[in-house]
Amino acid sequence: MDPPYIRAGNDLYAIDMDDDLDNRLAAALNKLTAPWMLTYDAHPQIPLLYPGRAVTEFDIPHTAGSSRVGREYLVLGPGMSLPQVNPPGKGRYELFAA
């Protein structure tokens, strides 16, 4: 899944999510036993929404509005293993220590 960013959601998406929707999505995903994965902007709230889940931070090129390298989180649900390299293929990648 790739829900709207917490920090820049209003600027990038026609329909944004608020704190309540972010909390409801996290609660629903955290209840699942099937594998899932989620990307979000690197916002400090994300690891708090997904306690006990593997969270990794990585560089990703962004082209919406302007070209730049941004930071995102990859959150993994049950049964998922952390990738050994940056998911987009290059740039910084590290396990987030919550």
Coordinates of all heavy atoms in Angstrom, one line a residue:
M1 N 0.8 -1.2 0.0 CA 0.0 0.0 0.0 C 0.9 1.2 0.0 O 2.0 1.2 0.5 CB -0.9 0.0 1.2 CG -1.8 -1.1 1.3 SD -2.8 -0.8 2.8 CE -3.5 -2.3 3.1
D2 N 0.3 2.3 -0.5 CA 1.0 3.6 -0.6 C 0.0 4.7 -0.2 O -0.4 5.4 -1.1 CB 1.7 3.7 -1.9 CG 2.6 5.0 -2.0 OD1 3.1 5.3 -1.0 OD2 2.7 5.5 -3.1
P3 N -0.4 4.8 1.0 CA -1.3 5.9 1.4 C -0.7 7.3 1.2 O 0.5 7.4 1.1 CB -1.7 5.6 2.8 CG -0.5 4.8 3.4 CD 0.1 4.1 2.2
P4 N -1.6 8.3 1.3 CA -1.1 9.7 1.2 C -0.1 10.0 2.3 O -0.2 9.5 3.4 CB -2.3 10.5 1.3 CG -3.4 9.6 0.8 CD -3.0 8.2 1.3
Y5 N 0.9 10.7 2.0 CA 1.9 11.1 3.0 C 1.3 11.9 4.1 O 0.4 12.7 3.9 CB 3.0 12.0 2.3 CG 3.9 11.3 1.4 CD1 4.8 12.1 0.6 CD2 3.9 10.0 1.2 CE1 5.7 11.5 -0.3 CE2 4.8 9.3 0.3 CZ 5.7 10.1 -0.4 OH 6.6 9.5 -1.3
I6 N 1.9 11.7 5.3 CA 1.4 12.5 6.4 C 1.8 14.0 6.3 O 1.0 14.9 6.5 CB 1.9 11.9 7.8 CG1 1.2 10.6 8.0 CG2 1.7 12.9 8.9 CD1 1.6 9.9 9.3
R7 N 3.1 14.2 5.9 CA 3.6 15.6 5.9 C 3.0 16.4 4.7 O 2.7 17.5 4.8 CB 5.1 15.5 5.9 CG 5.8 16.9 6.0 CD 7.3 16.8 6.1 NE 7.6 15.9 7.2 CZ 8.6 15.0 7.1 NH1 9.3 14.9 6.1 NH2 8.9 14.3 8.2
A8 N 3.0 15.8 3.5 CA 2.7 16.5 2.3 C 1.5 16.0 1.6 O 1.2 16.4 0.4 CB 3.9 16.4 1.3
G9 N 0.6 15.3 2.3 CA -0.5 14.7 1.6 C -1.4 15.7 1.0 O -1.9 15.5 -0.2
N10 N -1.7 16.8 1.6 CA -2.6 17.8 1.0 C -2.1 18.4 -0.2 O -2.8 18.8 -1.1 CB -2.9 18.9 2.0 CG -3.8 18.5 3.2 OD1 -4.6 17.6 3.0 ND2 -3.6 19.1 4.3
D11 N -0.8 18.4 -0.4 CA -0.1 19.0 -1.6 C 0.0 18.1 -2.8 O 0.1 18.5 -3.9 CB 1.3 19.5 -1.2 CG 1.2 20.6 -0.2 OD1 0.2 21.4 -0.1 OD2 2.2 20.8 0.6
L12 N -0.1 16.8 -2.5 CA 0.2 15.8 -3.5 C -1.0 15.0 -4.0 O -1.0 14.5 -5.1 CB 1.3 14.8 -3.1 CG 2.6 15.3 -2.7 CD1 3.5 14.3 -2.2 CD2 3.3 15.9 -4.0
Y13 N -2.0 14.9 -3.1 CA -3.2 14.0 -3.4 C -4.5 14.8 -3.5 O -4.7 15.8 -2.7 CB -3.3 12.9 -2.4 CG -2.0 12.1 -2.3 CD1 -1.1 12.4 -1.3 CD2 -1.8 11.0 -3.2 CE1 0.1 11.6 -1.2 CE2 -0.6 10.3 -3.1 CZ 0.3 10.6 -2.1 OH 1.4 9.8 -2.0
A14 N -5.4 14.4 -4.3 CA -6.7 15.0 -4.3 C -7.5 14.7 -3.1 O -8.3 15.6 -2.6 CB -7.5 14.5 -5.6
I15 N -7.3 13.5 -2.5 CA -8.0 13.2 -1.3 C -6.9 12.8 -0.2 O -6.1 12.0 -0.5 CB -8.9 11.9 -1.5 CG1 -10.0 12.3 -2.5 CG2 -9.5 11.5 -0.1 CD1 -10.9 11.1 -2.9
D16 N -6.9 13.5 0.9 CA -5.9 13.3 1.9 C -6.4 12.5 3.0 O -7.6 12.3 3.1 CB -5.5 14.7 2.4 CG -4.2 14.7 3.3 OD1 -3.4 13.7 3.2 OD2 -4.0 15.6 4.1
M17 N -5.5 12.0 3.8 CA -5.9 11.2 5.0 C -5.6 12.1 6.2 O -4.6 12.8 6.3 CB -5.1 9.9 5.1 CG -5.6 8.9 4.1 SD -4.7 7.4 4.1 CE -5.0 6.7 5.7
D18 N -6.5 12.0 7.3 CA -6.2 12.8 8.5 C -5.7 11.8 9.5 O -5.5 10.6 9.3 CB -7.4 13.5 9.0 CG -8.6 12.6 9.2 OD1 -8.5 11.4 9.3 OD2 -9.8 13.1 9.3
D19 N -5.4 12.2 10.7 CA -4.9 11.4 11.8 C -5.8 10.2 12.1 O -5.3 9.1 12.3 CB -4.6 12.2 13.1 CG -3.4 13.1 13.0 OD1 -2.6 12.9 12.1 OD2 -3.3 14.0 13.9
D20 N -7.1 10.4 12.1 CA -8.1 9.4 12.3 C -7.9 8.3 11.3 O -7.9 7.1 11.6 CB -9.5 9.9 12.4 CG -10.5 8.8 12.7 OD1 -10.4 8.1 13.7 OD2 -11.4 8.6 11.8
L21 N -7.9 8.6 10.0 CA -7.7 7.6 9.0 C -6.4 6.9 9.0 O -6.3 5.7 8.8 CB -7.9 8.3 7.6 CG -9.4 8.6 7.2 CD1 -9.4 9.4 5.9 CD2 -10.2 7.4 7.2
D22 N -5.3 7.6 9.3 CA -4.0 6.9 9.5 C -4.1 5.9 10.6 O -3.6 4.8 10.5 CB -2.9 8.0 9.8 CG -2.5 8.8 8.6 OD1 -2.4 8.2 7.5 OD2 -2.4 10.0 8.7
N23 N -4.7 6.3 11.7 CA -4.9 5.4 12.9 C -5.7 4.2 12.5 O -5.4 3.1 12.9 CB -5.4 6.1 14.1 CG -4.4 7.1 14.7 OD1 -3.2 6.9 14.7 ND2 -5.0 8.2 15.2
R24 N -6.8 4.4 11.8 CA -7.7 3.3 11.4 C -7.0 2.4 10.5 O -7.2 1.2 10.6 CB -9.0 3.9 10.8 CG -9.9 4.5 11.9 CD -11.1 5.3 11.4 NE -11.8 4.5 10.4 CZ -12.6 5.1 9.5 NH1 -12.8 6.4 9.5 NH2 -13.2 4.4 8.6
L25 N -6.3 2.9 9.5 CA -5.5 2.0 8.6 C -4.5 1.2 9.4 O -4.4 0.0 9.2 CB -4.8 2.9 7.5 CG -3.9 2.1 6.6 CD1 -4.6 1.1 5.8 CD2 -3.1 3.1 5.7
A26 N -3.8 1.8 10.3 CA -2.8 1.1 11.1 C -3.4 0.0 11.9 O -3.0 -1.1 12.0 CB -2.0 2.0 12.0
A27 N -4.5 0.3 12.5 CA -5.3 -0.7 13.4 C -5.7 -1.8 12.5 O -5.6 -3.0 12.9 CB -6.4 0.0 14.1
A28 N -6.2 -1.6 11.4 CA -6.7 -2.7 10.5 C -5.5 -3.5 10.0 O -5.6 -4.8 10.0 CB -7.4 -2.1 9.3
L29 N -4.4 -2.9 9.6 CA -3.3 -3.7 9.1 C -2.6 -4.4 10.2 O -2.2 -5.6 10.0 CB -2.2 -2.7 8.5 CG -2.6 -2.1 7.1 CD1 -1.6 -1.1 6.7 CD2 -2.8 -3.2 6.1
N30 N -2.5 -3.8 11.4 CA -1.9 -4.5 12.5 C -2.7 -5.8 13.0 O -2.1 -6.6 13.7 CB -1.7 -3.6 13.7 CG -0.5 -2.6 13.4 OD1 0.5 -3.0 12.9 ND2 -0.6 -1.4 13.9
K31 N -3.9 -5.9 12.6 CA -4.8 -7.0 13.0 C -4.6 -8.2 12.0 O -4.9 -9.3 12.3 CB -6.2 -6.7 13.0 CG -6.6 -5.8 14.2 CD -8.1 -5.5 14.2 CE -8.5 -4.5 15.2 NZ -9.9 -4.0 15.1
L32 N -4.1 -7.9 10.8 CA -4.0 -8.9 9.7 C -2.9 -9.9 10.1 O -1.9 -9.6 10.6 CB -3.6 -8.2 8.4 CG -4.7 -7.3 7.8 CD1 -4.2 -6.7 6.5 CD2 -6.0 -8.1 7.5
T33 N -3.2 -11.2 9.7 CA -2.2 -12.2 9.8 C -1.6 -12.5 8.4 O -0.5 -13.2 8.4 CB -2.8 -13.5 10.4 OG1 -3.9 -13.9 9.5 CG2 -3.3 -13.2 11.8
A34 N -2.2 -12.1 7.3 CA -1.6 -12.2 6.0 C -0.5 -11.2 5.8 O -0.5 -10.1 6.3 CB -2.7 -12.1 4.9
P35 N 0.5 -11.5 4.9 CA 1.6 -10.6 4.6 C 1.0 -9.3 4.0 O 0.1 -9.3 3.2 CB 2.5 -11.3 3.7 CG 2.1 -12.7 3.9 CD 0.7 -12.8 4.2
W36 N 1.6 -8.2 4.3 CA 1.4 -6.9 3.7 C 2.6 -6.0 3.8 O 3.5 -6.3 4.6 CB 0.1 -6.2 4.3 CG 0.2 -6.0 5.8 CD1 -0.3 -6.8 6.7 CD2 0.9 -4.9 6.5 NE1 0.0 -6.4 8.0 CE2 0.7 -5.2 7.9 CE3 1.6 -3.8 6.2 CZ2 1.2 -4.4 8.9 CZ3 2.1 -3.0 7.1 CH2 1.9 -3.2 8.5
M37 N 2.7 -5.0 3.0 CA 3.7 -4.0 3.1 C 3.2 -2.6 2.7 O 2.2 -2.5 2.0 CB 5.0 -4.3 2.3 CG 4.8 -4.3 0.8 SD 6.3 -4.9 0.1 CE 6.4 -3.8 -1.3
L38 N 3.8 -1.6 3.3 CA 3.3 -0.2 3.2 C 4.5 0.7 3.0 O 5.5 0.5 3.7 CB 2.5 0.0 4.5 CG 2.1 1.4 4.9 CD1 0.8 1.7 4.1 CD2 1.8 1.4 6.4
T39 N 4.3 1.7 2.2 CA 5.3 2.8 2.2 C 4.7 4.1 2.6 O 3.5 4.3 2.4 CB 5.9 3.0 0.8 OG1 4.9 3.3 -0.2 CG2 6.7 1.7 0.3
Y40 N 5.5 4.9 3.3 CA 5.0 6.2 3.8 C 6.2 7.1 3.8 O 7.3 6.7 3.8 CB 4.6 6.0 5.3 CG 3.1 6.1 5.6 CD1 2.4 5.1 6.1 CD2 2.4 7.3 5.4 CE1 1.1 5.2 6.4 CE2 1.1 7.4 5.8 CZ 0.4 6.3 6.3 OH -0.9 6.5 6.6
D41 N 5.9 8.4 3.9 CA 7.0 9.4 4.1 C 7.7 9.1 5.4 O 7.1 8.5 6.3 CB 6.5 10.8 4.0 CG 5.3 11.2 4.9 OD1 4.5 10.3 5.2 OD2 5.2 12.3 5.3
A42 N 8.9 9.5 5.6 CA 9.7 9.3 6.8 C 9.2 10.3 7.9 O 9.9 11.2 8.1 CB 11.2 9.4 6.5
H43 N 8.1 10.0 8.4 CA 7.5 10.9 9.4 C 7.6 10.1 10.8 O 7.3 8.9 10.8 CB 6.0 11.1 9.1 CG 5.4 12.2 9.9 ND1 4.9 11.9 11.2 CD2 5.2 13.5 9.7 CE1 4.4 13.0 11.7 NE2 4.5 14.0 10.8
P44 N 7.9 10.8 11.9 CA 8.1 10.1 13.2 C 6.9 9.4 13.7 O 7.0 8.5 14.5 CB 8.5 11.3 14.1 CG 8.4 12.5 13.4 CD 8.2 12.3 11.9
Q45 N 5.7 9.8 13.2 CA 4.5 9.1 13.6 C 4.4 7.7 13.1 O 3.8 6.8 13.8 CB 3.3 9.9 13.2 CG 1.9 9.3 13.6 CD 0.8 10.2 13.1 OE1 0.9 11.3 12.7 NE2 -0.4 9.6 13.1
I46 N 5.0 7.4 12.0 CA 4.8 6.0 11.3 C 5.2 4.9 12.2 O 4.5 4.0 12.5 CB 5.5 6.0 10.0 CG1 4.9 7.1 9.0 CG2 5.4 4.6 9.3 CD1 3.4 7.1 8.9
P47 N 6.5 4.9 12.8 CA 6.8 3.7 13.6 C 5.9 3.6 14.8 O 5.7 2.5 15.3 CB 8.3 4.0 14.0 CG 8.8 4.9 13.0 CD 7.6 5.8 12.6
L48 N 5.4 4.7 15.3 CA 4.5 4.6 16.5 C 3.1 4.0 16.1 O 2.5 3.3 16.9 CB 4.2 6.0 17.0 CG 5.4 6.8 17.5 CD1 5.1 8.2 17.9 CD2 6.1 6.1 18.6
L49 N 2.7 4.1 14.8 CA 1.5 3.5 14.4 C 1.6 2.0 14.1 O 0.6 1.3 14.1 CB 1.0 4.1 13.0 CG 0.5 5.6 13.1 CD1 0.3 6.1 11.7 CD2 -0.8 5.6 13.9
Y50 N 2.9 1.5 13.9 CA 3.1 0.1 13.6 C 4.1 -0.5 14.6 O 5.2 -1.0 14.2 CB 3.6 0.0 12.1 CG 2.5 0.5 11.2 CD1 2.5 1.8 10.8 CD2 1.5 -0.3 10.8 CE1 1.6 2.3 9.9 CE2 0.5 0.2 9.9 CZ 0.5 1.5 9.5 OH -0.4 2.0 8.7
P51 N 3.8 -0.5 15.9 CA 4.8 -1.1 16.9 C 5.0 -2.6 16.6 O 4.1 -3.3 16.2 CB 4.1 -0.8 18.2 CG 2.6 -0.8 17.9 CD 2.5 -0.2 16.5
G52 N 6.2 -3.0 16.8 CA 6.6 -4.4 16.6 C 6.8 -4.8 15.2 O 7.1 -5.9 14.9
R53 N 6.5 -3.9 14.2 CA 6.7 -4.2 12.8 C 8.1 -3.8 12.3 O 8.7 -2.8 12.9 CB 5.7 -3.5 11.9 CG 4.2 -3.8 12.3 CD 3.9 -5.2 11.9 NE 2.5 -5.5 12.2 CZ 2.1 -6.7 12.4 NH1 2.9 -7.8 12.2 NH2 0.8 -7.0 12.7
A54 N 8.6 -4.5 11.3 CA 9.9 -4.1 10.7 C 9.7 -2.8 10.0 O 8.8 -2.8 9.1 CB 10.4 -5.2 9.8
V55 N 10.5 -1.8 10.3 CA 10.4 -0.5 9.6 C 11.8 -0.2 9.1 O 12.7 -0.2 9.9 CB 9.9 0.6 10.5 CG1 9.9 1.9 9.8 CG2 8.5 0.3 11.1
T56 N 11.9 0.1 7.8 CA 13.2 0.5 7.3 C 13.1 1.8 6.6 O 12.0 2.1 6.1 CB 13.8 -0.6 6.3 OG1 15.1 -0.3 5.9 CG2 12.9 -0.8 5.1
E57 N 14.1 2.6 6.6 CA 14.1 3.9 6.0 C 15.0 3.9 4.8 O 16.1 3.3 4.8 CB 14.7 4.9 7.0 CG 14.6 6.4 6.5 CD 15.1 7.3 7.6 OE1 15.1 7.0 8.8 OE2 15.4 8.5 7.3
F58 N 14.6 4.5 3.7 CA 15.3 4.4 2.4 C 15.2 5.7 1.6 O 14.2 6.5 1.8 CB 14.9 3.2 1.6 CG 13.5 3.2 1.1 CD1 13.2 3.7 -0.1 CD2 12.5 2.7 1.9 CE1 11.9 3.7 -0.6 CE2 11.2 2.7 1.5 CZ 10.8 3.2 0.2
D59 N 16.2 6.0 0.8 CA 16.2 7.1 -0.2 C 15.3 6.7 -1.4 O 15.3 5.6 -1.8 CB 17.6 7.4 -0.7 CG 18.5 8.0 0.2 OD1 18.0 8.6 1.2 OD2 19.7 7.9 0.1
I60 N 14.6 7.7 -1.9 CA 13.7 7.5 -3.1 C 13.7 8.8 -3.9 O 13.5 9.8 -3.3 CB 12.3 7.0 -2.7 CG1 11.6 6.6 -4.0 CG2 11.6 8.0 -1.9 CD1 10.3 5.8 -3.7
P61 N 13.9 8.7 -5.2 CA 13.7 9.9 -6.0 C 12.3 10.3 -6.1 O 11.4 9.5 -6.3 CB 14.3 9.5 -7.4 CG 14.3 8.0 -7.4 CD 14.3 7.5 -6.0
H62 N 12.0 11.6 -6.0 CA 10.7 12.1 -6.1 C 10.7 13.1 -7.3 O 11.6 13.8 -7.5 CB 10.3 12.9 -4.9 CG 10.0 12.1 -3.7 ND1 8.9 11.4 -3.5 CD2 10.8 11.9 -2.6 CE1 8.9 10.7 -2.3 NE2 10.1 11.0 -1.8
T63 N 9.6 13.1 -8.0 CA 9.5 14.0 -9.2 C 8.2 14.8 -9.1 O 8.0 15.6 -10.0 CB 9.5 13.2 -10.5 OG1 8.5 12.2 -10.5 CG2 10.9 12.5 -10.7
A64 N 7.4 14.6 -8.1 CA 6.2 15.4 -8.0 C 6.5 16.9 -7.5 O 7.0 17.0 -6.5 CB 5.2 14.8 -7.0
G65 N 6.3 17.8 -8.4 CA 6.6 19.2 -8.1 C 8.0 19.6 -8.4 O 8.2 20.5 -9.2
S66 N 8.9 18.9 -7.9 CA 10.4 19.1 -8.2 C 11.1 17.8 -8.0 O 10.8 17.0 -7.3 CB 10.9 20.2 -7.3 OG 10.9 19.8 -5.9
S67 N 12.2 17.7 -8.7 CA 13.1 16.5 -8.6 C 14.0 16.6 -7.4 O 14.7 17.6 -7.2 CB 14.0 16.4 -9.9 OG 13.4 15.5 -10.8
R68 N 13.9 15.6 -6.6 CA 14.8 15.6 -5.4 C 14.8 14.1 -4.9 O 14.0 13.3 -5.3 CB 14.3 16.5 -4.3 CG 12.9 16.1 -3.8 CD 12.4 17.1 -2.7 NE 11.1 16.7 -2.2 CZ 10.9 15.7 -1.3 NH1 11.9 15.1 -0.8 NH2 9.7 15.5 -1.0
V69 N 15.7 13.9 -4.0 CA 15.8 12.6 -3.3 C 15.1 12.8 -1.9 O 15.5 13.6 -1.2 CB 17.2 12.1 -3.2 CG1 17.2 10.8 -2.3 CG2 17.8 11.8 -4.5
G70 N 14.1 11.9 -1.7 CA 13.4 12.0 -0.4 C 13.7 10.8 0.4 O 14.4 9.9 0.1
R71 N 13.1 10.8 1.6 CA 13.2 9.7 2.6 C 11.9 9.1 2.8 O 10.9 9.8 2.9 CB 13.8 10.2 3.9 CG 15.1 10.9 3.8 CD 16.3 10.1 3.5 NE 16.4 9.1 4.5 CZ 17.0 7.9 4.2 NH1 17.4 7.6 3.0 NH2 17.1 7.0 5.1
E72 N 11.8 7.7 2.8 CA 10.5 7.1 3.0 C 10.8 5.9 4.0 O 11.9 5.5 4.2 CB 9.9 6.5 1.7 CG 9.4 7.6 0.8 CD 8.4 7.1 -0.2 OE1 8.0 5.9 -0.2 OE2 8.0 7.9 -1.1
Y73 N 9.7 5.4 4.5 CA 9.7 4.2 5.4 C 9.0 3.1 4.6 O 8.0 3.3 3.9 CB 8.9 4.4 6.7 CG 9.6 5.3 7.7 CD1 8.9 6.0 8.6 CD2 11.0 5.3 7.8 CE1 9.5 6.7 9.6 CE2 11.6 6.1 8.8 CZ 10.8 6.8 9.7 OH 11.5 7.5 10.7
L74 N 9.5 1.9 4.8 CA 8.9 0.7 4.3 C 8.5 -0.1 5.6 O 9.4 -0.3 6.4 CB 9.8 -0.2 3.5 CG 9.4 -1.5 3.1 CD1 8.2 -1.5 2.1 CD2 10.5 -2.3 2.4
V75 N 7.2 -0.4 5.8 CA 6.7 -1.1 6.9 C 6.3 -2.4 6.5 O 5.5 -2.6 5.5 CB 5.5 -0.3 7.6 CG1 5.0 -1.0 8.8 CG2 5.9 1.1 7.9
L76 N 6.7 -3.5 7.2 CA 6.4 -4.9 6.7 C 5.5 -5.5 7.7 O 5.7 -5.5 9.0 CB 7.7 -5.7 6.6 CG 8.7 -5.1 5.6 CD1 9.9 -6.0 5.6 CD2 8.1 -5.1 4.2
G77 N 4.5 -6.2 7.2 CA 3.5 -6.9 8.0 C 4.1 -8.3 8.4 O 5.2 -8.6 8.1
P78 N 3.2 -9.2 8.9 CA 3.6 -10.5 9.3 C 4.2 -11.4 8.1 O 3.7 -11.3 7.0 CB 2.4 -11.1 9.9 CG 1.3 -10.3 9.5 CD 1.8 -9.0 9.1
G79 N 5.2 -12.1 8.4 CA 5.8 -13.0 7.4 C 6.6 -12.4 6.4 O 7.1 -13.0 5.4
M80 N 6.9 -11.0 6.5 CA 7.7 -10.3 5.4 C 9.1 -10.2 6.0 O 9.3 -9.9 7.1 CB 7.0 -9.0 5.1 CG 5.6 -9.0 4.6 SD 5.5 -9.6 3.0 CE 6.3 -8.4 2.1
S81 N 10.1 -10.3 5.1 CA 11.5 -10.1 5.4 C 12.0 -8.8 4.9 O 11.6 -8.4 3.8 CB 12.3 -11.2 4.8 OG 11.9 -12.4 5.4
L82 N 12.8 -8.1 5.6 CA 13.4 -6.9 5.2 C 14.3 -7.1 4.0 O 15.0 -8.1 3.9 CB 14.3 -6.3 6.3 CG 13.6 -5.6 7.4 CD1 14.5 -5.3 8.5 CD2 12.8 -4.4 7.0
P83 N 14.2 -6.3 3.0 CA 15.1 -6.4 1.8 C 16.6 -6.2 2.2 O 16.8 -5.5 3.2 CB 14.6 -5.4 0.8 CG 13.9 -4.4 1.7 CD 13.4 -5.1 2.9
Q84 N 17.5 -6.7 1.5 CA 18.9 -6.5 1.8 C 19.5 -5.3 1.1 O 20.6 -4.9 1.5 CB 19.7 -7.8 1.3 CG 19.3 -9.0 2.0 CD 19.4 -8.9 3.5 OE1 20.5 -8.6 4.1 NE2 18.3 -9.2 4.3
V85 N 18.8 -4.7 0.2 CA 19.2 -3.4 -0.5 C 18.1 -2.5 -0.5 O 16.9 -2.8 -0.2 CB 19.7 -3.7 -1.9 CG1 20.9 -4.6 -1.9 CG2 18.6 -4.3 -2.8
N86 N 18.3 -1.2 -0.9 CA 17.3 -0.2 -1.0 C 16.3 -0.7 -2.0 O 16.6 -1.0 -3.1 CB 18.0 1.1 -1.5 CG 17.0 2.3 -1.5 OD1 15.8 2.1 -1.3 ND2 17.6 3.5 -1.7
P87 N 15.0 -0.7 -1.6 CA 13.9 -1.1 -2.6 C 14.0 -0.5 -4.0 O 13.8 -1.2 -4.9 CB 12.6 -0.8 -1.8 CG 13.0 -0.8 -0.4 CD 14.5 -0.3 -0.3
P88 N 14.2 0.8 -4.1 CA 14.3 1.4 -5.5 C 15.6 1.1 -6.2 O 15.8 1.4 -7.3 CB 14.2 2.9 -5.3 CG 13.6 3.1 -3.9 CD 14.1 1.9 -3.1
G89 N 16.6 0.4 -5.5 CA 17.8 0.0 -6.2 C 19.0 0.7 -5.9 O 20.1 0.2 -6.0
K90 N 19.0 1.9 -5.4 CA 20.2 2.7 -5.0 C 19.8 3.7 -4.0 O 18.7 4.0 -3.8 CB 20.8 3.3 -6.3 CG 20.0 4.3 -7.0 CD 20.7 4.9 -8.2 CE 19.9 5.9 -8.9 NZ 20.5 6.5 -10.0
G91 N 20.9 4.2 -3.4 CA 20.7 5.2 -2.3 C 20.8 4.6 -1.0 O 20.9 3.4 -0.8
R92 N 20.6 5.5 0.1 CA 20.8 5.0 1.4 C 19.6 4.2 1.9 O 18.5 4.3 1.5 CB 20.8 6.3 2.3 CG 21.4 6.0 3.7 CD 21.7 7.4 4.4 NE 20.4 8.0 4.8 CZ 19.9 7.9 6.1 NH1 20.6 7.3 7.0 NH2 18.8 8.5 6.4
Y93 N 19.9 3.2 2.7 CA 19.0 2.2 3.2 C 19.4 1.8 4.6 O 20.5 1.4 4.8 CB 18.9 1.0 2.3 CG 18.1 -0.2 2.8 CD1 16.8 -0.2 2.7 CD2 18.8 -1.2 3.4 CE1 16.1 -1.3 3.2 CE2 18.1 -2.3 3.9 CZ 16.7 -2.4 3.7 OH 16.0 -3.4 4.2
E94 N 18.5 1.9 5.6 CA 18.9 1.4 6.9 C 17.6 1.0 7.7 O 16.5 1.5 7.5 CB 19.6 2.5 7.7 CG 18.8 3.7 7.9 CD 19.6 4.9 8.6 OE1 20.5 5.4 7.9 OE2 19.4 5.2 9.7
L95 N 17.8 0.1 8.6 CA 16.8 -0.4 9.5 C 16.5 0.8 10.5 O 17.4 1.4 11.1 CB 17.2 -1.6 10.3 CG 16.2 -2.2 11.3 CD1 14.9 -2.6 10.5 CD2 16.8 -3.3 12.0
F96 N 15.2 1.1 10.7 CA 14.9 2.1 11.6 C 14.8 1.5 13.0 O 14.2 0.5 13.2 CB 13.5 2.7 11.2 CG 13.0 3.8 12.1 CD1 13.5 5.1 12.0 CD2 12.2 3.5 13.2 CE1 13.0 6.1 12.8 CE2 11.7 4.5 14.0 CZ 12.2 5.8 13.9
A97 N 15.5 2.1 13.9 CA 15.5 1.6 15.3 C 14.4 2.4 16.1 O 14.6 3.5 16.5 CB 16.9 1.8 15.9
A98 N 13.3 1.8 16.3 CA 12.2 2.4 17.0 C 12.4 2.3 18.5 O 13.0 1.4 19.0 CB 10.9 1.8 16.6

